[in-house]
Each structure stands twice: as structure tokens, then as C-alpha cells.
Amino acid sequence: MNLNYENAVERVLCSENEIKEKVKIIARDIENYYKDSEKKLLMLGILKGSVVFMADLMKEVHLPLEVDFMRLSSYGKGAVSSGNIVIKAGLEKKDLSEYNVLIVEDILDTGNTLFWLVNYLKREHNCEDIKICTLLDKPDRREKPISVDFGCFTIPDEFVIGYGLDYNEMFRDLPYVGILKREIYEK
Ligand code: PRP
């Protein structure tokens, strides 16, 4: 499919500048929360959607930190994730009891992915302190009791693309978050 980027966006939801400003604000919140902790900070990016946000955020958080990534996939995922999560790429370290873990996501939607992940990290990696940082939060769609600790934007239930978020793997490279035109995903 040859998608035309210019004609695919209904409207910009979060501009490049708005994102930059918000990333700085939550970076300060993250610093304040962790600055006096005895434990090391691990920023855990969930691929692929978090890649742009993670790269920008980690440069703004002025604390000693490590990074790692997981790639998760949800079976039966159409427009909504099913909750049947499969690990496509796992963590490097097994025991994370020495770390404060900050999960970095592009979007919290139904909450199925993060509900599963938080339980998995506690069960399999001995994580005690787990916090959630997301660029976008769609609370209207929540199915699981998961909330954001450090969030940038609360958004309506629209199909969003850009700044890491995709439609059929395209548009992750857009520097802003936009609403995808309905005719593109409904045709
Ligand atoms: C997106 C997003 C979260 C998940 C959120 O990932 O990055 O991991 O969906 O949805 P949920 O709250 O309904 O579970 P996706 O499976 O689209 O993969 P991607 O990050 O590789 O695009």
C-alpha cells in the first residue's frame, strides 16, 4: 500500500512543540520522584511504539539510569488488544529487585498490555517498584485497572498515528501525533 503521508492526517492532535514541552515537564516529575531513591532506575521501553518517545525522554531525565526494551504482541489484535500477550523480545536481566522500573509506552489504551506486563514483571523479574509513563492515555477505552503515573496527553478515542504510533507499520516517523483519516482505515 502506498500511503500518502500528507493526505492521511485528519488533524494534528499533539504538535512537535507541544510534545517537546510535555516531555520536559514529565522528565522533571520523574527526576523529582526518583532522585532520592537508593535503587537504580531502569527505563523500560515497550517496542515498537515507544521508540521515539523513549529516545526523547531519556535525554531529558537527568538522573543516572539504564535502559532496556521489550517487544510484546497481543494475539488477535485488530483495533483492540485482546489481553493474550506474547513476548517477542524479552529483558536482558532476570532479577530486577535492585531497580526502580519505569515502563515507557506510547499509548495506554484498554490497559490489557500493561496490566499483563506489570504482573509479569513482578512475577518473573522480582520487580517491586513499577511506574508507568505514557505519551498518550485514552481513558475512555480502559478495560483493566491500570493508570498512568507520568503522562503527557489524555486523548479522545481516535485512531492516532505518528511519534512512534503506526497504522499498518506506517507513520511511526511523523514528528507529531495526528488523527488518521477515517477513510484510510475503514476502506
Ligand atoms: C500498542 C502500544 C501498547 C498497546 C496498548 O502496541 O504500544 O503496547 O498497544 O494497547 P492496550 O492498552 O489496549 O493493551 P502495539 O501492539 O500496537 O504494538 P507496537 O507498539 O509495535 O505498534
Side-chain angles (χ1 to χ4, degrees), residues 63-165:
L63 290 174
L65 59 87
E66 296 182 27
V67 297
D68 204 348
F69 297 90
M70 290 180 80
R71 189 158 164 238
L72 304 174
S73 141
S74 168
Y75 264 132
K77 185 159 183 166
V80 185
S81 71
S82 64
N84 300 317
I85 310 294
V86 177
I87 299 174
K88 294 288 180 90
L91 283 163
E92 210 165 49
K93 291 193 170 84
K94 172 74 180 163
D95 182 21
L96 295 179
S97 56
E98 300 302 307
Y99 290 85
N100 293 313
V101 176
L102 179 63
I103 299 171
V104 179
E105 267 283 25
D106 53 335
I107 188 163
L108 175 55
D109 191 354
T110 64
N112 282 316
T113 305
L114 285 181
F115 185 77
W116 178 90
L117 179 61
V118 168
N119 285 306
Y120 167 83
L121 290 172
K122 287 180 180 166
R123 193 178 66 239
E124 302 294 331
H125 290 276
N126 306 321
C127 293
E128 287 154 9
D129 189 301
I130 304 171
K131 296 287 176 200
I132 293 170
C133 174
T134 66
L135 177 73
L136 306 174
D137 183 11
K138 267 188 193 174
D140 293 349
R141 302 238 307 168
R142 203 77 86 248
E143 293 173 5
K144 291 281 172 21
I146 283 282
S147 57
V148 174
D149 298 296
F150 305 99
C152 293
F153 301 96
T154 300
I155 61 165
D157 185 12
E158 300 278 2
F159 199 129
V160 283
I161 52 169
Y163 201 74
L165 292 112

Side-chain angles (χ1 to χ4, degrees), residues 19-33:
I19 294 172
K20 270 188 193 144
E21 287 309 308
K22 286 278 182 156
V23 167
K24 283 187 184 143
I25 290 167
I26 60 156
R28 297 298 82 77
D29 292 344
I30 290 167
E31 286 167 6
N32 285 333
Y33 181 76

